Structures are given as C-alpha cells and as structure tokens.
Amino acid sequence: MAANNSADDLEYNEFYRALQTQYLALYERAQSDCWLVCVPISASLPPPPDISYNFVAAHLLEPSKLYRDEYSSLLTSGKRKVWRLESKELKTIDDSYCVRVLSEELAYNRSFQHYRMLMIDRPLVEGSQKRRKTVTNDELLVPKRTLKEQLELLANFQKHTEIKREVDKRIDMFRENYMVLEGFLTDASSRIENLIKQAYTSYIREHQSDKKVHDRRIQEMIWIALESYIVTQLHGKVYSKIISRHRKENQMFYERCKELSSTLTPAALGLPVDYSCPYKETIEKLNTMSQQNTPIGKLYCLQETIDNIQTDVKNHFKSSLRIGEPVPLPSDDLISLLATIIVQANLNFFPSDVYYIENFHWPFSEGEKLSFVLVTVRAALEFIKSADVDKYLPTKQKKKTSLPSRVTPPIHSSLALPTVPPSLLKLHDEEEGKKEVPPLNETLEKLKRLRMIDDNIVTDRNNMSTKPEKQEGRSFFERLMYDDGVMSSVDFPSPSKS
Amino acid sequence: MAARTGGGGSLQVKVVLLGEGCVGKTSIVLRYVQNQFNDKHIQTLQASFLQKNLTINRRRLCLNIWDTAGQERYHALGPIYYRDSHAAIVVYDITDEDSFTKAKNWVRELRKMLGDSCVLVIVGNKSDLEKNKVIQEKDAQEYAASVGAKHFYTSAKQNKGIEEMFLDLSKRLLEKEGNNSNPSSTNPSSTRRPGGITVTDDSIRTDRPSGGGGGGGGGCCG
C-alpha cells in the first residue's frame, strides 16, 4: 500500500505544488528567512486557478521580532495580518478567525536551517474556503481490499473492457498451455508477474491522457487490482502445487505449533507483563488467512493481525486500570508475540502461505509497511521452527525428563523464594524461578494494581525470572528509557519536550 | 538499490536501525518520529515500523524506518531486515563495550550483504551517561571513518543529537541520489514502479523486472 493514501498528503497537495512551481520565488524567500509555511489541506483549497499570488502569500507567515508564537502574513491586500500560534490552533490576534493545525512537517532550507511547515484544516484567507464537492482521485483512493472493489476501480478507466478481454485471453492461454510443476514454481512466478506487467502497461499506456494514472497512488492500486485479479484466476492451478511442494513442512510446522501452543507464552518468552493478555480475536483474525485466495489478501490479513496485537495490548493495559500508555512494541517483542499467536492459531498451511506471499506477490513499493509485515511474519515463522521446545515446556514436564525420579527438588527453593530480595532472584535457575514465582508474582501484581508499589519491581522480577537476555542488571526505568521508549512510560513522568 | 521517487517527487527510502538489544534503538526512533506534534495518528504502540517525512531544500523524503530485532535469538534474521535498505543506523551504548563490538559485527555483516550501497551512520547512544562512558570518542570516530560511516552521539533521554543525525543521513541520501542540487528535475508526471516500468507523459519503457519471484527454472510450456 502506498505510504500515504490520504489526499492531504503534502506530496499531492495543490497548494504545495503551486509553491514549488508557480510561486517559487516567494517560497524561496520564505524558506531562506525561515518563515512559517502553512499549507491548507487539499479538500479545503479553492480550485487551482484561485490559488493566486495573494492567496499563497497569505500563508507564508513571518515570525514576530518581539513576540514568540506571533506571526504576520507577508501580504493580505496590502495589509499585514497578525496570527498567534497556540498549541494546535492558529488564530488571528483578535480571535476572530481560527484554523486547526493538523500536523507539522520537518523542513530545512538550502542552508539546512530548520523552518516550520504546518498542515492546516482550512485556508488562512477568510471566505476562500469553498470546499469542492470532490477532490481529484479522492474516491478512487479509498483502500480497496476485496477483488470486487478492485475490479470496480479498474472499471473506472475508459478502456477497461477491452484491456480486460485481452488479459482474460492471456490467462486462458496460461491455464491451458502452461503446466505448473512443484519444482519450477519460480518460473511460474515470473510468468505470472509478466502477465501482470503486460496488463499494467496496457492500462497506463491506454490512459495516458487521463490525469488519474499520473498519481503514483492510483498506479499502485491498479497494480494491486491486476495482481489480485490475475492471481485469483490462477489460484487453483498454482496454490495446489505450492501446497504439495510444502506438504511435509506444513505438517511439521502444524505439529510444532501444537506442541508449543500451551507453552510458548509471552511470559515464557520473558516479555513484559503488559503483553500477557488474551489475543482471542487476533487469533481468529489470523485464522481467516486461509480463506483468502490471493497473496495480497493473505498479507492484508497478517497486517491486521499485527495491528490487532497492538490494539489488544493497549486495551488490556486500559482494562487493568493503569494510567498512561503501555510501552511501545519494539521488533523483538513484536516477533515474539506474533510467534505466540501463530502457535495458537490453527494454521494448516502456514509455510505454504508465506511462500505464496513471498513469491506470488510483487510489491509496488519496497520497504513500506506491507514489506515490514512480511519480514516480521517470516521472522516469527523461523523462530517457531527453530525454537528450543524443551525450553518452553512446563517445569514439571521438563524435570521429568531432566531429573532422575528419585531426585527431589531442593526444599530451599520453594521456601526461600518469597523472602529473597528481588535483586538476588536472578541467581536462581531460570526455570526454577519461574516455577516458584507465581504466588509472589500474583501478590505483586495485586499490589501494583492498587498502585502501592512501583512497577519496576514487578517487571524486574518477571524479567529476571524468565528473560535470559541482556535485561539483567538493568532497572526497569533504564529499559523503558533505552529500549522500550520512555515517552509513554506508565509510572514515570515523561521528559519534557524540547 | 536506488531509492524510489514517488509521483509527487518525494524520495522513498528504507532505513534500518541495527544494534544490540537495550542500546536504545527504539527510543531514538520514537523520539525522532513522535517528538514533534502530529495529529496524523501514529499508533503509540507501533515502534517497529515508523515513517517520517521531511523536506530539505524543496526535496521531500519519506523515511521508512525499520526497527530491527536486536536480541541474540533473532540475530540470524538480520539479513531479511536489512535487505534492500538505503541507509542503516547502527547503534551502540557508550557505556557498554560489548554493544560497540556487536555494532562492529553489524557493520561487517551489512557491508558484506549490501556493499557500499548503503548510507551508514554509527550512533553512540546514552550520551547523557557521559561519566560512565567506556568507548572513547576517538576510537569510535576512527572506526566510523574506517568503514565509510559518520559517527554521532545521541541521547534519547535528553533528545540530543537525534535530529542532527537524521538530517545528516537524509542529506547524504539526497546527495547519493544526485538530485539535491536540482530539485525541479523530478517530473511529477513521471512515475516508476520497482518492476522496472517507467511511465512518462510521452512514453512507456519496460525494463528488466527486478525482485519478486522471477527468474530461473525451466520453462514448462506444454
């Protein structure tokens, strides 16, 4: 998916384009003097001919020499107009007119001096904000996830019917003349990619005079629609071969998931307590992946799964009546959490599906979110495949195999633990610690909810008992600060923004 | 891999953050991306993939920042993260010698996989803990120079050095792209998709496809 599908994206904003082309001299001056550049969102702009010199000039604000957060417009019918920037609003000095600041972009001039660029909800020129009924390409840019929606998008183009007829012919030829073999799936992949390229080229070439196709976001949507259509038509022929090629791997992976489903938990992986929550709906979402017929459909499903993980953690955090936000999910934890969810889902053909996505989906834009989703899924899959099962087995079960039956566990461990200071707990065997921890953990958790003790004791305690990595020896605060992001800490005050 | 230019002229780049666990990679990126007020709803919880747009002398860049897994158990997965990246930020903790050694390993791996195509920055984080510093500036600077990288000190806690580091990285990316001196050279009506199709107002050119599943295998047309 495109990085930004919003019509408000600066890259496609007509005012911003006018600054870059028609009113470049004005813009250059504003940049070199580090003025405040205000860009009204596309939907609020007057039609292009109305983006006049005065209109543009009214949005380039010179900082006041006397007062901080006060600015005056360069030219408004020969007069200067003074504005005050207050938090998320830009107001006239007499409060008679106010616009909302939607976002701020980092901007630097030729000398790499920083100047501010604000996206605002409407123009600074009163009375000019006649919203147009439609914004170019806006309706087309609504995300299209189903094949039906994607075909409707293609139908917007004048020569769609003829091109589709041609595409269908090629698909039929492929179906009738090409034999997909398990050992030659990469060849099948490159041939299907060529089919998509041919179709895409036809769409673009035949509609060159249509301004819509000059928008990269629309191009991407055309590409995805064609990929979905063509791959769906060939799904039966290709997917069955992928399944049979990965039969053994699918089976092994399924069994591995079953084996780990009850033991590979966030706690067993040493993840913060905030992440130990029910992921029922997320698991259900992941299970719907097998219903999708296209790699992109499966990938969207994985993306939603990852998004749901984050929502679940947030909701769980809120439901435990804690203040603030849970710590953000870094990649390590995201992979671990995803692994715990995959093993609980009922995925019969997961390795096949990942292969299908990796080889029969051709991303329009590398390095963007869907690519990241796929890499995270691949990482989780590899982790599950290589995970040391024994490490995550319940302690009792493990002891059965690792200790002779006549050896009784040392008494001291169960008796001594509650009185041992947390800082010494890391000296205990990792698994032993886990076994003895629950009673103390539960007590600490209750106290924590009552906000009688600090979070760091609980989190340190959990991490010490289960997380063998570098976490040891660092305080909760340090980890929060340096590894998990301090900005949304729970019980610690956020550092002031500079 | 060349960075992609979007339809409106912005440059899409993939930046990976590498380094041992606990050195502060996530904090650095969160500080950079979220510190400034933004109503565009970056999910607070999302720290592993973040985007940041910036404009330098009329050129727009979209940094797609990938926070990679730094823990040892995921070390082998590094290559799948940094494949096709345009820039890498390798972070170490100035109070932890081991993290500097690990950073060198990341650099070695990166260079092995990506050659010199990747803009590289080495970052000594936690500069607020100056008194506990164990990696000397001279050593870090010399090492960075020896691998064609720039070295920066940052403090995610105090928000120091982060913006400068990303600005320098962006400048170097633009220099590498060779377009910074001529921003108007980007034709807004010219677009490219990675598969190699360049579409302009007047012509369509189809190059050799890149990436994807393509290639090899035997033909099986019956």
Side-chain angles (χ1 to χ4, degrees), chain A residues 108 197 219 331 336 364 481-482, chain B residues 24 27 67 74 163 191 194 209:
Chain A
Y108 302 90
K197 274 186 180 173
Q219 289 173 7
S331 274
S336 303
F364 193 87
M481 182 71 68
Y482 292 114
Chain B
S27 296
D67 177 23
Y74 298 125
E163 198 182 319
T191 55

Side-chain angles (χ1 to χ4, degrees), chain A residues 11 102 105-106 108 177 184 197 204-205 208 214 216 219 310 329 331-332 336 364 367-368 470 481-483, chain B residues 4 10 12 24 27 39 45 55 57 60 67 70-71 74 96 128 163 191 194-195 200-201 209 218 222:
Chain A
E11 194 174 330
L102 301 174
E105 286 246 335
L106 260 186
Y108 302 90
N177 300 325
F184 295 96
K197 274 186 180 173
I204 303 295
R205 184 185 283 143
Q208 284 224 49
H214 294 173
R216 192 186 72 85
Q219 289 173 7
Q310 293 166 358
L329 269 171
S331 274
D332 300 84
S336 303
F364 193 87
E368 290 182 3
K470 185 117 198 321
M481 182 71 68
Y482 292 114
D483 205 40
Chain B
R4 181 174 54 73
S10 90
Q12 298 278 332
S27 296
D39 230 11
L45 259 175
T55 303
N57 187 25
R60 266 190 107 224
D67 177 23
Q71 288 175 10
Y74 298 125
D96 180 356
D128 49 293
E163 198 182 319
T191 55
T200 65
D201 278 350

Side-chain angles (χ1 to χ4, degrees), chain A residues 34-134:
Chain A
C34 298
W35 288 355
L36 181 69
V37 178
C38 300
V39 181
I41 55 166
S42 301
S44 73
L45 287 170
D50 287 359
I51 300 180
S52 62
Y53 180 91
N54 278 355
F55 183 84
V56 171
H59 291 83
L60 305 176
L61 309 183
E62 186 181 359
S64 160
K65 289 187 176 75
L66 297 175
Y67 303 104
R68 204 182 153 204
D69 295 330
E70 258 191 34
Y71 301 85
S72 60
S73 51
L74 178 71
L75 179 75
T76 311
S77 310
K79 287 183 195 169
R80 284 200 164 261
K81 195 167 190 175
V82 181
W83 296 90
R84 198 173 60 247
L85 184 61
E86 278 177 11
S87 172
K88 298 177 182 180
E89 288 176 339
L90 193 59
K91 295 175 176 174
T92 52
I93 202 78
D94 58 358
D95 282 351
S96 62
Y97 190 72
C98 174
V99 299
R100 210 156 61 86
V101 178
L102 301 174
S103 65
E104 179 169 350
E105 286 246 335
L106 260 186
Y108 302 90
N109 63 19
R110 200 183 290 271
S111 318
F112 304 111
Q113 290 171 297
H114 178 228
Y115 69 94
R116 301 182 74 177
M117 191 185 292
L118 306 179
M119 289 291 284
I120 52 176
D121 70 336
R122 55 193 171 131
L124 296 180
V125 180
E126 287 174 68
S128 70
Q129 63 273 21
K130 46 180 177 184
R131 284 173 190 270
R132 284 171 288 170
K133 278 179 189 163
T134 54

